[in-house]
Amino acid sequence: MKAYYYDDVEGDPRLPHLSPSPPLTPSHLTSLGVLSYHFPSSSPSSPFDVNSLAASRSYSHRDTITVSPQAMGAVYEDKIKSFFHEHMHEDEEIRYILDGAGYFDVRERGDERWVRIRLEEGDLIVLPAGVYHRFTVDENNYIKAMRLFKDEPKWTPLNRGKETEENEFRKQYVEAREGRRFGDAVTV
């Protein structure tokens, strides 16, 4: 997992968009409420580690998604564009990368800059409810991920706007972020 500021240069969002500033640390991500873990699929303990994390966070449901032109067919480009619209969810968004690579962008404090997080096989990320974010695959156009949920999956993205600023989950997120009340990330 690599995190850095998005360079805001026009162009294909599937490219790295690496800014000249230094990489961001896991503690910086934690200050935004983003938790990061690494459970390499080649490690015999990774299934146990993922299951332990799921149990500790009360994730009781999971599925697998493949995002690629081959898996999604004619709707692929439209789906990628929709994933890249800035939005939030009322639930945590948890992804364990099984294969391929992609980017989650989350808003920095003040909601002006994007923090880009590159995820590859073995990376697991937890985005808090209420955080503005977006997603895209990398230039290889392929990612396979396990999605984990506390309850039945809720897929409703709430696109950023006046209504989301008044959303209770958004308000709780901003209050926790500004009050610096997020826990420490665990790097395994």
Side-chain angles (χ1 to χ4, degrees):
M1 184 172 308
K2 297 175 188 168
Y4 52 89
Y5 288 112
Y6 186 83
D7 68 9
D8 287 321
V9 173
E10 297 260 344
D12 189 341
R14 293 173 269 207
L15 297 175
H17 288 275
L18 184 62
S19 69
S21 57
L24 301 173
T25 63
S27 63
H28 187 89
L29 294 179
T30 301
S31 76
L32 301 174
V34 176
L35 303 179
S36 60
Y37 305 83
H38 187 72
F39 303 122
S41 61
S42 60
S43 170
S45 67
S46 286
F48 174 77
D49 294 334
V50 171
N51 289 338
S52 293
L53 176 68
S56 73
R57 298 187 68 81
S58 302
Y59 302 151
S60 58
H61 295 80
R62 62 182 73 184
D63 69 9
T64 301
I65 183 170
T66 300
V67 178
S68 72
Q70 295 75 21
M72 301 179 100
V75 301
Y76 174 74
E77 288 296 332
D78 288 338
K79 279 292 192 186
I80 286 296
K81 288 176 187 170
S82 74
F83 294 156
F84 202 67
H85 286 220
E86 183 173 6
H87 64 280
M88 59 160 269
H89 299 284
E90 293 182 340
D91 291 321
E92 290 183 334
E93 186 161 342
I94 307 94
R95 300 292 180 268
Y96 175 50
I97 309 306
L98 301 170
D99 196 18
Y103 302 101
F104 273 97
D105 298 337
V106 297
R107 283 293 187 184
E108 177 64 275
R109 274 196 174 74
D111 294 329
E112 294 175 20
R113 294 183 80 181
W114 284 108
V115 170
R116 174 151 275 202
I117 307 163
R118 179 175 172 80
L119 300 169
E120 299 174 342
E121 181 274 320
D123 291 331
L124 186 145
I125 192 167
V126 180
L127 300 181
V131 67
Y132 288 133
H133 66 282
R134 59 192 185 186
F135 169 79
T136 189
V137 293
D138 71 2
E139 61 272 14
N140 293 314
N141 290 306
Y142 173 78
I143 195 166
K144 182 177 182 180
M146 178 188 297
R147 303 181 292 190
L148 296 104
F149 313 95
K150 289 186 178 184
D151 297 308
E152 288 296 321
K154 296 176 190 166
W155 297 116
T156 308
L158 303 173
N159 290 334
R160 185 175 182 176
K162 186 177 180 180
E163 302 81 32
T164 56
E165 291 301 321
E166 298 303 317
N167 180 285
E168 192 59 36
F169 293 92
R170 174 69 184 162
K171 288 180 178 181
Q172 290 172 11
Y173 169 74
V174 170
E175 183 179 313
R177 180 187 69 191
E178 299 310 318
R180 302 182 193 282
R181 292 194 306 267
F182 290 113
D184 292 328
V186 177
T187 305
V188 179

